[in-house]
């Protein structure tokens, strides 16, 4: 087994990957980023060296593993739009599943055996109870969720067969940014609630459409579990340390354990930015459950993890620091 010194972050130019790189560097880890920049941004990698490449470039991966002593791989590279996955599932099965197989094969050849995998609450599908722990049935309702679940299943087979150890981390709604706004969320197209409400606050959009106002929730709008991106990054590093201490491969749900409604998110944006946001009622979005909240007890017991930036105001304030400082996002398009 490789006992290298470098954490390879695949997809490190994206939103979650770049915040993980930031946190790894801050804690003194040696980092390397591999990203094809199809969705990510060069500037998001900060001081981490970036190798531009796709996961289907097997020789490039072999070279990377030959030239760097990789201690573990954090894998974030994936397409992540539910709607697009329904319209173009081939893109998702190739880019998410087939590409991960190529990465795992290159890791096997290089004898790199620790893997931290970015999964999602979308693997659970329609919730059968409000708080979702790891024992909740996994029945994804769209191709995106299915691709992530397939990789989870592949890891369960590869682990014992090839001596891989892995942590699967299933995120709820990743949000926020580093303090000071050096890096943040910049998707194209943007579909996530908090950045969209911030754009409405900045006058870049006329309003925010609220997808469904007649849910069985206190104010009729959907309730979600928004988890600060640096809390996610912290869990990844704890996952690595857990594996390195000999912890068994497993999965953790990562959320902040409290739900906030769409209306509460908009109220908080208005409070933080001091700007009014026009709200328009719109039909429900297909596939949206009323309430989705994580039970993170297992991560807390096994990894000693708990959200440190859990309150919605901190999440929105840090997202605002980024958005107000970069109204057009990263300047690399
Ligand atoms: N949402 C909304 N208007 C928007 C975007 C999102 O009302 O323009 C709602 C969406 O229906 C969901 C919540 O905001 O209840 C969070 O959606 P997002 O797309 O950010 O994350 P998801 O929960 O789909 O992962």
């Amino acid at each position: 087994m490789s006992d290298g010194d470098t954490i390879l972050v695949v997809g490190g130019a994206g939103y979650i990957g770049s915040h993980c790189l930031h946190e790894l560097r801050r804690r003194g880890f040696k980092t390397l980023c591999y990203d094809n920049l199809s969705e990510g941004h060069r500037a998001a990698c900060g001081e981490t060296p970036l190798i531009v490449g796709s996961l289907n470039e097997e020789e490039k991966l072999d070279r990377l593993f030959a030239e760097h002593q990789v201690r573990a791989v954090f894998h974030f590279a994936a397409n992540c739009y539910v709607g697009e996955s329904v319209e173009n599932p081939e893109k998702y099965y190739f880019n998410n599943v087939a590409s991960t197989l190529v990465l795992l094969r290159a890791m096997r050849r290089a004898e790199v055996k620790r893997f931290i995998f970015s999964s999602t609450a979308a693997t659970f599908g329609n919730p059968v109870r409000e708080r979702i722990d790891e024992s909740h049935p996994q029945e994804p309702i769209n191709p995106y969720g299915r691709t992530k679940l397939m990789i989870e299943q592949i890891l369960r087979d590869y682990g014992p067969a090839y001596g891989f150890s892995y942590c699967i981390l299933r995120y709820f709604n990743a949000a926020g940014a580093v303090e000071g706004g050096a890096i943040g969320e910049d998707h194209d197209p943007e579909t996530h609630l908090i950045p969209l409400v911030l754009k409405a606050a900045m006058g870049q959009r006329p309003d925010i459409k609220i997808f469904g106002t007649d849910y069985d929730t206190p104010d009729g709008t959907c309730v979600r579990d928004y988890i600060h991106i640096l809390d996610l990054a912290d869990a990844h590093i704890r996952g690595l340390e857990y594996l390195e201490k000999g912890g068994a491969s497993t999965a953790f749900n990562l959320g902040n354990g409290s739900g906030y409604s769409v209306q509460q998110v908009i109220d908080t944006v208005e409070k933080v930015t001091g700007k009014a946001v026009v709200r328009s009622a719109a039909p429900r979005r297909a596939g949206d459950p009323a309430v989705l909240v994580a039970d993170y007890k297992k991560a807390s017991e096994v990894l000693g993890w708990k959200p440190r930036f859990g309150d919605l105001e901190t999440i929105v304030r840090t997202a605002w620091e980024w958005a107000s400082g970069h109204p057009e996002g990263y300047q690399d398009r």
Side-chain angles (χ1 to χ4, degrees):
M1 163 150 4
S2 160
D3 48 1
D5 57 1
T6 299
I7 309 298
L8 174 64
V9 178
V10 177
Y15 172 47
I16 305 177
S18 62
H19 282 79
C20 259
L21 278 178
H22 173 93
E23 194 58 18
L24 283 162
R25 283 196 307 269
R26 201 182 65 79
R27 297 194 197 178
F29 288 89
K30 186 173 172 191
T31 53
L32 176 66
C33 177
Y34 189 79
D35 198 297
N36 67 3
L37 299 182
S38 67
E39 310 267 344
H41 308 275
R42 190 178 286 275
C45 303
E47 300 100 69
T48 297
L50 166 68
I51 298 177
V52 178
S54 295
L55 287 176
N56 55 18
E57 293 180 85
E58 213 158 351
E59 281 173 19
K60 201 179 255 187
L61 283 173
D62 282 344
R63 223 168 26 247
L64 180 160
F65 283 115
E67 288 170 4
H68 300 270
Q69 302 306 307
V70 176
R71 170 172 163 188
V73 175
F74 286 25
H75 179 32
F76 298 95
N79 295 117
C80 64
Y81 294 116
V82 167
E84 185 188 50
S85 80
V86 174
E87 283 151 26
N88 188 5
E90 184 182 83
K91 175 173 175 183
Y92 280 71
Y93 287 102
F94 267 94
N95 288 354
N96 293 2
V97 184
S99 294
T100 301
L101 290 175
V102 177
L103 172 63
L104 291 170
R105 189 161 58 192
M107 285 175 61
R108 269 188 76 198
R109 278 196 294 271
E111 296 192 26
V112 174
K113 302 211 162 164
R114 291 191 190 100
F115 195 66
I116 308 291
F117 177 58
S118 163
S119 189
T120 167
T123 58
F124 292 112
N126 286 324
V128 297
R129 49 182 184 268
E130 278 193 3
R131 290 203 177 257
I132 317 260
D133 66 5
E134 291 76 6
S135 69
H136 187 285
Q138 285 184 289
E139 289 168 13
I141 54 170
N142 52 61
Y144 167 64
R146 281 191 276 278
T147 63
K148 290 286 185 175
L149 181 57
M150 280 180 186
I151 301 165
E152 291 195 8
Q153 289 162 334
I154 288 165
L155 289 173
R156 281 193 200 98
D157 290 335
Y158 275 33
Y162 304 130
F164 277 120
S165 64
Y166 59 83
C167 276
I168 291 165
L169 302 179
R170 303 189 191 114
Y171 320 140
F172 283 64
N173 291 58
V178 296
E179 294 277 345
I183 55 173
E185 187 167 9
D186 178 8
H187 294 113
D188 185 22
E190 188 54 75
T191 63
H192 293 119
L193 181 65
I194 292 176
L196 286 177
V197 183
L198 292 174
K199 282 181 193 295
M202 287 190 287
Q204 292 183 348
R205 301 173 66 89
D207 61 358
I208 183 77
K209 304 221 164 0
I210 300 180
F211 298 150
T213 52
D214 57 352
Y215 283 99
D216 184 16
T217 58
D219 65 20
T221 65
C222 282
V223 170
R224 291 288 177 276
D225 179 326
Y226 297 89
I227 172 79
H228 195 278
I229 193 90
L230 289 182
D231 284 326
L232 289 183
D234 177 42
H236 287 71
I237 297 170
R238 285 172 188 266
L240 169 67
E241 289 167 347
Y242 159 81
L243 292 181
E244 290 188 337
K245 279 192 218 123
S249 297
T250 191
F252 298 101
N253 291 359
L254 300 178
N256 115 49
S258 343
Y260 296 102
S261 73
V262 175
Q263 296 280 23
Q264 284 176 303
V265 169
I266 304 171
D267 290 344
T268 308
V269 168
E270 288 188 327
K271 183 169 173 208
V272 166
T273 64
K275 294 171 194 296
V277 173
V278 179
R279 310 168 194 219
S280 316
R284 290 181 177 198
R285 192 172 65 175
D288 261 347
V291 179
L292 212 48
V293 179
D295 176 338
Y296 66 82
K297 190 158 156 261
K298 180 174 170 188
S300 144
E301 286 174 358
V302 178
L303 301 179
W305 176 85
K306 67 173 193 314
R308 292 168 303 161
F309 309 104
D311 76 289
L312 188 57
E313 213 168 306
T314 304
I315 291 174
V316 169
R317 181 179 51 76
T318 54
W320 174 237
E321 282 173 9
W322 157 257
S324 56
H326 303 80
E328 306 302 328
Y330 289 100
Q331 293 300 302
D332 57 0
R333 290 214 166 83

